[in-house]
Amino acid sequence: MTENINGVLVFVEMVDNQPVELGLEMLGLARRISDSHGGTVTAVVFGTNLEGVGDNLIAYGADQVLINDNVIFDNFHAEAWLPDLSKIVAEVAPAIVLIGHSLSGTDLAPRLAFRLDIDVATGCESIEIVNGRPHMTRSCFGGLAREVVTFNKTPAVATIRSKTQQALTPMMERAGEFKFVSSILDLNSLRSRVIKREREKTVGVKLESAKIVISGGLGLGGPEGFNTLNEIAELVDGAVGASRAACDLDWCPRSYQVGLTGRTVAPELYLAVGISGASHHMAGCGNAKTIVSINSDPAAAIFKSSRFGIVGNCQEVMPALVEEIKKLKA
Ligand SMILES: Cc1cc2nc3c(=O)[nH]c(=O)nc-3n(C[C@H](O)[C@H](O)[C@H](O)COP(=O)(O)OP(=O)(O)OC[C@H]3O[C@@H](n4cnc5c(N)ncnc54)[C@H](O)[C@@H]3O)c2cc1C
């Protein structure tokens, strides 16, 4: 059976007219698949003011870039984006459509699959082509196990978790072509409309791109514990994360949540403070280079995944840590 496939289409989300990192990571994956198994890499972008994005995405591995430059696509609206994306996928007919496992991507991907009557696999961490069929690996049972799934037919849709793929080093001399496509959207056909949109303010480094992440859990004892985490983050130019339990109690914004149902991070250093290390949490930070944890329970599961562990009350350890960092910085 041939190992070759029909190519890969990557839907690249834009924020502030720039491709999101996950889009570039998926292009790296698509390029690697195409280099080994044939077919072209098509990048699709929706938005406005997208001049320059074509060359940029070609540099990151696309063979062709289809740009739908329309004011309707400035902000995410699944229902509005679906007719155009469906049409493009049907025309390009790739073997796989890659969409980011982001809030918008996980909304869009199943709709696209339903609309085109094709299969979808969400939360994928890697893709191998075996006998011409994509095999996706992803977490299951709350991160305790991994499963490999495949599709019965192509095209099929896969959402890809951030930080599981490596973006290519951009090569501006890479050859490719880009073209603008026109929208087929009939505004009158929309059954929902966006009334208001508020972007959460992020101060400092973005969680997913931070080299150092300091995360807090229930062991912090209350929302004020996050003040110290913020102080440490500011000192080390890091970002603050949290367990779902801490977010559920409103000790910090929901956007801080790291884990299976939160964000995936892969920093150089992940400092886990008062977090037990449930598999659901570790699914979002297990790829960190070094995990250091502070926990009062010597039997806490988090210590099994940590390179360094401090057994102690975080209320005592954290102020001492802040002092040490300040001394080192001075
Ligand atoms: C479908 C599903 C999806 C989920 N997705 C996520 C997810 O994305 N992210 C996530 O985080 N969770 C997720 N969860 C929840 C997850 O299973 C755990 O319940 C959660 O991670 C626990 O949070 P925690 O570690 O802060 O709290 P706990 O498990 O209560 O742990 C608190 C820890 O703090 C320690 N501690 C207590 N006092 C101190 C002190 N003074 N100093 C130091 N340490 C102290 C304790 O020893 C304990 O280990 C999910 C659950 C389900 C069912």
Side-chain angles (χ1 to χ4, degrees):
M1 199 182 278
T2 174
E3 282 280 307
N4 278 354
I5 60 163
N6 279 346
V8 185
L9 183 147
V10 182
F11 185 70
V12 180
E13 281 182 60
M14 308 291 289
V15 171
D16 297 332
N17 315 112
Q18 293 300 320
V20 297
E21 266 181 59
L22 176 54
L24 304 180
E25 292 165 14
M26 290 191 297
L27 272 181
L29 168 65
R31 185 72 269 152
R32 281 185 286 278
I33 293 175
S34 262
D35 285 349
S36 314
H37 301 282
T40 52
V41 174
T42 304
V44 177
V45 276
F46 285 11
T48 50
N49 301 320
L50 297 177
E51 297 82 21
V53 75
D55 287 333
N56 194 11
L57 297 183
I58 290 166
Y60 275 98
D63 296 311
Q64 66 163 339
V65 183
L66 304 179
I67 304 168
N68 204 335
D69 191 327
N70 193 315
V71 73
I72 313 153
F73 302 129
D74 227 359
N75 288 304
F76 178 69
H77 183 187
E79 198 194 343
W81 290 26
L82 204 52
D84 281 285
L85 186 57
S86 305
K87 179 173 176 271
I88 291 171
V89 170
E91 281 172 6
V92 175
I96 324 168
V97 179
L98 302 182
I99 296 182
H101 193 77
S102 59
L103 284 178
S104 39
T106 48
D107 186 347
L108 192 60
R111 289 172 186 258
L112 177 71
F114 184 77
R115 173 75 61 111
L116 294 174
D117 192 22
I118 57 179
D119 298 333
V120 59
T122 54
C124 303
E125 292 162 10
S126 67
I127 300 184
E128 297 292 325
I129 306 298
V130 181
N131 292 334
R133 272 161 65 142
H135 283 53
M136 278 69 50
T137 303
R138 59 182 185 177
S139 282
C140 60
F141 299 118
L144 286 175
R146 301 165 93 74
E147 63 182 2
V148 180
V149 294
T150 190
F151 301 124
N152 287 327
K153 55 184 182 181
T154 60
V157 185
T159 66
I160 305 294
R161 285 190 177 274
S162 82
K163 303 291 173 197
T164 57
Q165 312 299 322
Q166 192 104 40
L168 301 182
T169 307
M171 272 171 50
M172 290 321 283
E173 63 276 23
R174 194 189 293 279
E177 59 173 27
F178 64 88
K179 64 176 176 199
F180 287 84
V181 295
S182 41
S183 173
I184 55 157
L185 176 66
D186 171 10
L187 280 176
N188 295 324
S189 69
L190 293 180
R191 287 171 298 177
S192 61
R193 65 195 166 93
V194 179
I195 296 165
K196 193 175 169 199
R197 197 178 291 273
E198 257 178 61
R199 194 183 286 188
E200 194 172 62
K201 290 184 191 81
T202 37
V203 187
V205 197
K206 250 184 94 196
L207 188 55
E208 280 101 334
S209 32
K211 291 211 161 51
I212 300 178
V213 173
I214 305 105
S215 276
L218 290 193
L220 285 177
E224 53 292 335
F226 278 90
N227 296 338
T228 319
L229 299 195
N230 282 322
E231 193 181 352
I232 298 175
E234 217 167 287
L235 284 168
V236 299
D237 204 16
V240 177
S243 71
R244 174 159 143 180
C247 298
D248 285 347
L249 289 173
D250 267 345
W251 290 2
C252 60
R254 172 63 64 195
S255 56
Y256 282 22
Q257 186 185 322
V258 171
L260 191 68
T261 45
R263 291 172 196 248
T264 307
V265 297
E268 302 281 318
L269 172 66
Y270 188 79
L271 177 61
V273 186
I275 291 179
S276 58
S279 60
H280 303 109
H281 184 80
M282 300 315 292
C285 63
N287 285 335
K289 219 170 199 173
T290 302
I291 298 178
V292 177
S293 45
I294 304 171
N295 198 300
S296 53
D297 176 6
I302 188 99
F303 287 131
K304 289 199 192 109
S305 318
S306 306
R307 184 171 295 179
F308 302 104
I310 302 166
V311 180
N313 181 349
C314 62
Q315 315 286 359
E316 291 162 14
V317 178
M318 282 202 302
L321 188 63
V322 171
E323 282 317 304
E324 276 309 309
I325 297 171
K326 279 184 179 164
K327 267 193 227 160
L328 285 171
K329 287 202 81 170

